Amino acid sequence: MNVEEVMSENPVTCLPDTGIEQAARWMVECDCGALPVIDVDNRPIGVITDRDITCRIIAKGKDPYMLNVSDAMSTPAATVYRDTSLEDCLELMQQNQVRRMVVLDDEGTVCGMVAQADLVKQLGAQETAELMREVSIDTESPSQVH
């Protein structure tokens, strides 16, 4: 089984100059905790998460209404191709200590997102436990890669 079979297709994306407030609104509307940040050619340059906004903007007393996604996003984006096996995706999530991966098509543009929850539904109990342990090692501060 590969990533394409479990990913969420065509995620809402944003540009680095998208306002923080707008990114947060899209997260609420789409019931998601992360948006890929793309360039004008739909290539990933980072990810903005609800945790990034909370820890890098709100908790530091910065005004989210005056800032852009580039002020809080994590770079680079952790990515996989849509034909990546679930096992390889799991390994990459563990290596990067992330809960989500941006999925790329053959041209290297964003075509989906795969989350920890997507893999948990497909993997066995032992693999799921290992994933949870590995990506949860450092949950006290936002990681550089999401």
Side-chain angles (χ1 to χ4, degrees), residues 105-123:
D105 61 19
D106 295 335
E107 288 78 44
T109 61
V110 175
C111 67
M113 290 281 285
V114 64
Q116 184 178 47
D118 299 323
L119 296 180
V120 167
K121 293 175 191 174
Q122 301 298 322
L123 299 171

Side-chain angles (χ1 to χ4, degrees), residues 11-60:
V12 172
T13 60
C14 61
L15 297 168
D17 63 353
T18 300
I20 291 285
E21 178 188 13
Q22 181 62 58
R25 286 178 193 250
W26 285 336
M27 287 181 202
V28 170
E29 290 170 11
C30 298
D31 190 28
C32 66
L35 303 175
V37 182
I38 58 167
D39 64 17
V40 295
D41 296 318
N42 196 33
R43 296 191 187 286
I45 58 174
V47 173
I48 182 80
T49 68
D50 48 7
R51 183 169 171 79
D52 291 334
I53 294 169
T54 300
C55 295
R56 294 181 178 156
I57 303 299
I58 305 302
K60 292 186 177 180

Side-chain angles (χ1 to χ4, degrees), residues 60-77:
K60 292 186 177 180
K62 297 178 181 178
D63 185 352
Y65 300 101
M66 301 301 295
L67 298 172
N68 293 328
V69 165
S70 62
D71 296 308
M73 71 184 201
S74 297
T75 59

Side-chain angles (χ1 to χ4, degrees), residues 92-106:
L92 289 167
M93 286 177 138
Q94 291 170 346
Q95 288 173 6
N96 290 290
Q97 294 184 347
V98 296
R99 291 177 173 80
R100 302 170 188 95
M101 299 288 279
V102 176
V103 182
L104 306 177
D105 61 19
D106 295 335

